[in-house]
Amino acid sequence: MAADLPPPPEIVTSHGLTAEEYGNLLEILGREPNLTELGIFSVMWSEHCSYKSSRKWLRRLPTEAPWVICGPGENAGVIDIGEGLAAVFKMESHNHPSFIEPYQGAATGLGGILRDVFTMGARPVANLNALRFGDPNHPKTRHLVSGVVAGIGDYGNCVGVPTVGGSCDFDESYDGNILVNAMTVGIAAKDRIFYAKATGVGNPVVYVGSKTGRDGIHGATMASAEFDESTEAKRPTVQVGDPFTEKLLIEACLELMAQDAIIGIQDMGAAGLTSSSFEMASKGGVGVELDLDRVPVREEAMTAYEIMLSESQERMLMVLKPGKEDIARRIFEKWELDFAIIGRLTNSGRMVLRHKGETVADLPIDPLADAAPVYDRPTARAQPRPTVEPGDVAPPEDVMECLKALLGTADLCSKRWIWEQYDHMVMADTVARPGGDAAIVRIHGSNRGLALTTDCTPRYCAADAATGASQAVAEAWRNLTAVGARPLAITDNLNFGNPERPEIMGQFADAVEGMRDACLALDFPVVSGNVSFYNETNGKGIAPTPTIGGVGLIDDLARTAALALSGEGQSLVLVGATAGHLGCSAYLKEIEGRGDGAPPPVDLARERRNGDFVRAEITAGRITICHDLSDGGLLVALAEMALAGGIGATLTIPDGAPAAHAWLFGEDQARYLLAADDAEGLVERAKAALVPVAVIGVTGGESLTVTGSGTISLAQLSESHEGWLPAYMGDA
């Protein structure tokens, strides 16, 4: 099709634009678009790039705090971590590509989030991920697990940034649409943060990194539609990554950033050269002229449409200060990367593209970058579920066999098989590796650290999206608190089904409100994030999964806590009240085969009070062993602590406790389990702080014992806990 001819109706439809949106396009242009212009509109107005269904609700999230330097709207969020430094971080999804092509989808998802961070001027110091796969018995699940884990491991290991934490769960709702959420954290000088804002008429627009190919075209559009039987045919929309080039790009960009040469910089992620050029120009209020013949390409006869929509990886766009071109060129050529001046800034407010001597697009910038449709989609709110009382759930015949079974389930088993494929020690600053409540990474050259975590419990969110999302924020806050960190901010990845269905939009709206409540109560603002809609296949959506990535600060790495029991004869102290809530619990799902009931209620004032007390005990050096209570409840948490340290324990159910199975396996919130040398002093301080605590046991031996309910050896528990995933993947 000739570039200057208007597209036929079927081509318009194939680009994902509604009739109303196409009408708006015609009104903006005052004419029919050509194919290149249509392609540009389609990606800029896609759900993935424009947030047209979620923007109304995202405005509800709290994004400010005295320590927030940059909130949502840039490539990544930025917070002040003291001593002239800033933490830069974001989480983003690569769900659809990872289902179609798991290795490259996961690898390029990691590559993209790395670029979001170092484009702000930060050196990446840690990666995390949150993975959701389908039922282990589904015929594709094992293949998807293998490909995704290998893609993350190979890319992260080659680029030399440690993967220090994450989560992995299995549920049949992800059978046709897995979730791969990637998070990167970097550190920068807080007075040297770079933004995606193009200014200065006449300044050069520069392309750096890898050459442009045909991979990834329509990636943003594909991420804005649900799957069906044609999913496999979408493989060409999945990008191909090269971690070695990414490493070179990191070093070259950081070196140039030290030269005071960059005005604005943006990575070419979703929608490639289109989104990066339009967003930079819009933020700076300028126009752009690009000569596409100057764009480095690796394939012959690429059209303007293909060049603008390609999502080839490891590419950046920047605006340089006048006279700095030669400095930049020398740096990128030294690192053996492409460098090309492909255009200049103008005062026209328009994007003018030239290719092969002709103008192939002439578009106004702001209507594409800022004036995308904003929808107030209908919402249908779910009815609250009734609470499941302890008496409504049968107790296990054998408590210790029940514990063993829980520890050997897909969700609660050890994920060592996954994280041992990641280099979590590269850069030599990893203090607490995967497997704990939160990873800890040293701030290089200091005795301070960042604590990092990802969290969400989708079965809670499926039952009550508001409570589930609030709990996800609270648990991320607890995970950071449990290692002694002061929680500072979150990034999010809000994964939902088709927003055109009112029940899905209702889930999303409720989740945002739940997040808002928790963030405000815990002083835990949202500084970056991503919305991923259309996670469904043939009309069947995933469980709502608002994944939370949390970042906290540790002022003294000598004052932290770990979950591993480390000594004999210590008192086990339970912080927080226990009502024995079994609704939506792992016990109910795995032992009873039920998924009913309301999720555990979240009392945010109690979360704050209990967490602040626990953190104060850790930072005072009085507590060094701590674990937050979540999936599986108290007995699963104690087993994890015992297995991590190789030390057993004896637990005694206190008088007045709820039914034994509810007390042991209930998932009440705002709770921690501590091992203390001075239990009496701890109890007195807790009483003064109005925090409920109870001494419930003692450490020691090589078994776990629940008085009156039996004993099981750590060896038996370890076999079950460590064995499931390697056996499932065929590596046992």
Side-chain angles (χ1 to χ4, degrees):
M1 182 187 300
D4 58 348
L5 294 179
E10 64 270 18
I11 296 297
V12 173
T13 302
S14 72
H15 279 70
L17 293 174
T18 66
E20 182 180 358
E21 288 169 348
Y22 190 66
N24 292 340
L25 181 160
L26 295 177
E27 185 175 340
I28 289 169
L29 282 186
R31 58 176 172 81
E32 294 273 358
N34 62 37
L35 181 60
T36 299
E37 293 170 331
L38 175 67
I40 289 171
F41 265 96
S42 76
V43 294
M44 291 299 292
W45 285 8
S46 68
E47 190 73 61
H48 190 75
C49 291
S50 72
Y51 289 72
K52 57 190 175 186
S53 298
S54 59
R55 212 181 310 174
K56 169 194 170 180
W57 294 101
L58 295 178
R59 296 186 183 116
R60 297 280 298 157
L61 293 173
T63 61
E64 298 179 350
W67 53 89
V68 174
I69 296 173
C70 176
E74 275 291 337
N75 286 291
V78 186
I79 58 173
D80 190 337
I81 56 173
E83 298 186 6
L85 297 176
V88 180
F89 59 100
K90 187 182 180 184
M91 182 185 291
E92 195 156 273
S93 62
H94 232 218
N95 303 334
H96 287 62
S98 298
F99 183 79
I100 297 168
E101 176 50 64
Y103 182 90
Q104 291 294 349
T108 53
L110 177 52
I113 198 64
L114 281 163
R115 290 193 298 280
D116 280 340
V117 167
F118 74 75
T119 194
M120 302 285 291
R123 177 171 291 280
V125 297
N127 295 320
L128 299 92
N129 53 69
L131 311 176
R132 314 286 174 187
F133 297 105
D135 187 326
N137 296 316
H138 189 277
K140 288 195 70 170
T141 299
R142 186 180 288 103
H143 162 71
L144 292 168
V145 173
S146 177
V148 165
V149 172
I152 292 170
D154 288 355
Y155 202 99
N157 296 351
C158 292
V159 84
V161 177
T163 300
V164 299
S167 56
C168 175
D169 295 309
F170 296 80
D171 185 82
E172 65 178 7
S173 77
Y174 307 109
D175 282 352
N177 197 126
I178 65 173
L179 302 185
V180 176
N181 297 169
M183 176 178 171
T184 292
V185 183
I187 294 178
K190 74 173 187 179
D191 59 353
R192 297 289 294 168
I193 305 298
F194 290 80
Y195 298 98
K197 182 178 180 181
T199 59
V201 172
N203 284 340
V205 179
V206 174
Y207 172 118
V208 299
S210 291
K211 289 179 168 60
T212 294
R214 290 188 171 95
D215 53 320
I217 294 173
H218 286 308
T221 307
M222 181 265 291
S224 305
E226 65 181 76
F227 284 156
D228 54 30
E229 290 80 0
S230 66
T231 295
E232 291 299 320
K234 296 178 180 178
R235 283 184 188 276
T237 64
V238 178
Q239 309 94 326
V240 177
D242 180 353
F244 298 105
T245 299
E246 182 99 341
K247 173 61 174 174
L248 299 178
L249 190 59
I250 292 172
E251 299 305 329
C253 287
L254 293 179
E255 183 175 341
L256 181 59
M257 287 168 172
Q259 299 296 318
D260 194 29
I262 298 174
I263 291 174
I265 182 169
Q266 173 78 41
D267 96 284
M268 293 190 217
L273 184 54
T274 291
S275 64
S276 57
S277 57
F278 272 88
E279 290 171 7
M280 289 180 72
S282 179
K283 288 177 180 178
V286 295
V288 180
E289 291 181 355
L290 297 181
D291 183 350
L292 301 186
D293 293 319
R294 297 182 181 181
V295 173
V297 296
R298 65 169 183 261
E299 300 183 46
E300 295 182 359
M302 289 190 68
T303 65
Y305 179 98
E306 291 170 330
I307 292 170
M308 290 302 294
L309 270 62
S310 168
E311 294 185 9
S312 294
Q313 296 292 285
E314 294 87 39
R315 303 179 302 157
M316 309 287 279
L317 193 69
M318 56 182 68
V319 175
L320 297 180
K321 293 182 178 180
K324 299 290 187 178
E325 297 92 333
D326 288 343
I327 293 173
R329 186 187 302 276
R330 285 196 298 271
I331 289 173
F332 282 91
E333 288 179 350
K334 181 186 78 172
W335 290 100
E336 299 181 343
L337 296 167
D338 277 291
F339 175 96
I341 300 172
I342 64 170
R344 66 183 185 92
L345 302 184
T346 70
N347 61 2
S348 68
R350 301 184 71 82
M351 177 70 65
V352 178
L353 307 179
R354 294 189 173 87
H355 190 229
K356 299 188 182 304
E358 296 183 359
T359 298
V360 294
D362 187 346
L363 299 168
I365 287 172
D366 282 343
L368 278 129
D370 288 338
V374 177
Y375 292 128
D376 185 5
R377 296 196 184 277
T379 59
R381 305 297 173 85
Q383 292 298 312
R385 291 188 186 183
T387 299
V388 173
E389 300 296 338
D392 299 333
V393 181
E397 293 183 7
D398 186 320
V399 165
M400 307 318 279
E401 284 298 318
C402 175
L403 172 63
K404 179 181 174 183
L406 280 172
L407 289 174
T409 60
D411 283 354
L412 295 181
C413 74
S414 168
K415 301 306 188 294
R416 185 185 304 274
W417 181 91
I418 294 175
W419 57 258
E420 283 191 340
Q421 297 185 54
Y422 305 152
D423 188 339
H424 45 272
M425 299 303 292
V426 66
M427 300 179 78
D429 279 322
T430 303
V431 176
R433 61 189 67 189
D437 287 316
I440 301 175
V441 176
R442 182 186 305 275
I443 298 172
H444 191 71
S446 77
N447 196 41
R448 302 189 306 137
L450 295 177
L452 315 168
T453 188
T454 66
D455 226 306
C456 183
T457 308
R459 64 180 184 275
Y460 294 172
C461 299
D464 185 321
T467 299
S470 184
Q471 188 275 341
V473 173
E475 187 171 350
W477 191 87
R478 274 203 312 274
N479 287 340
L480 300 175
T481 292
V483 299
R486 184 170 75 255
L488 292 179
I490 67 171
T491 182
D492 60 52
N493 207 141
L494 308 180
N495 307 274
F496 289 80
N498 185 341
E500 297 165 45
R501 293 201 284 135
E503 64 272 25
I504 300 299
M505 207 61 222
Q507 290 175 343
F508 183 84
D510 285 348
V512 169
E513 290 303 309
M515 288 175 58
R516 171 185 167 82
D517 290 345
C519 290
L520 289 172
L522 301 174
D523 284 337
F524 208 25
V526 182
V527 298
S528 61
N530 171 242
V531 176
S532 177
F533 277 134
Y534 297 97
N535 289 290
E536 57 182 76
T537 300
N538 294 324
K540 183 178 180 181
I542 62 165
T545 311
T547 306
I548 303 299
V551 175
L553 181 65
I554 296 172
D555 292 318
D556 182 358
L557 289 173
R559 301 289 180 92
T560 62
L563 63 79
L565 297 181
S566 61
E568 305 261 345
Q570 290 187 307
S571 297
L572 294 172
V573 181
L574 176 62
V575 176
T578 301
H581 191 99
L582 288 170
C584 295
S585 66
Y587 178 89
L588 203 65
K589 175 187 175 184
E590 304 292 352
I591 304 302
E592 294 294 312
R594 295 168 52 182
D596 58 316
V602 178
D603 184 327
L604 293 166
R606 184 177 295 172
E607 288 280 2
R608 185 67 185 261
R609 183 169 58 250
N610 294 359
D612 287 348
F613 170 76
V614 168
R615 189 183 317 106
E617 290 295 301
I618 295 170
T619 56
R622 292 188 288 262
I623 291 294
T624 60
I625 301 166
C626 176
H627 192 10
D628 93 295
L629 270 58
S630 55
D631 289 345
L634 170 61
L635 193 53
V636 166
L638 177 57
E640 290 170 342
M641 297 169 78
L643 291 173
I647 295 174
T650 298
L651 199 62
T652 301
I653 300 175
D655 294 337
H661 64 300
W663 189 77
L664 292 168
F665 299 113
E667 296 182 7
D668 302 88
Q669 300 295 292
R671 297 188 301 160
Y672 304 80
L673 185 58
L674 315 178
D677 291 315
D678 176 19
E680 185 176 342
L682 178 64
V683 170
E684 289 301 315
R685 291 188 295 274
K687 287 181 179 178
L690 304 179
V691 171
V693 298
V695 179
I696 59 171
V698 62
T699 65
E702 298 178 351
S703 302
L704 277 189
T705 297
V706 176
T707 303
S709 296
T711 296
I712 190 168
S713 71
L714 296 186
Q716 289 177 275
L717 292 177
S718 179
E719 182 180 6
S720 179
H721 189 51
E722 296 288 346
W724 186 87
L725 192 51
Y728 176 70
M729 297 306 297
D731 291 350

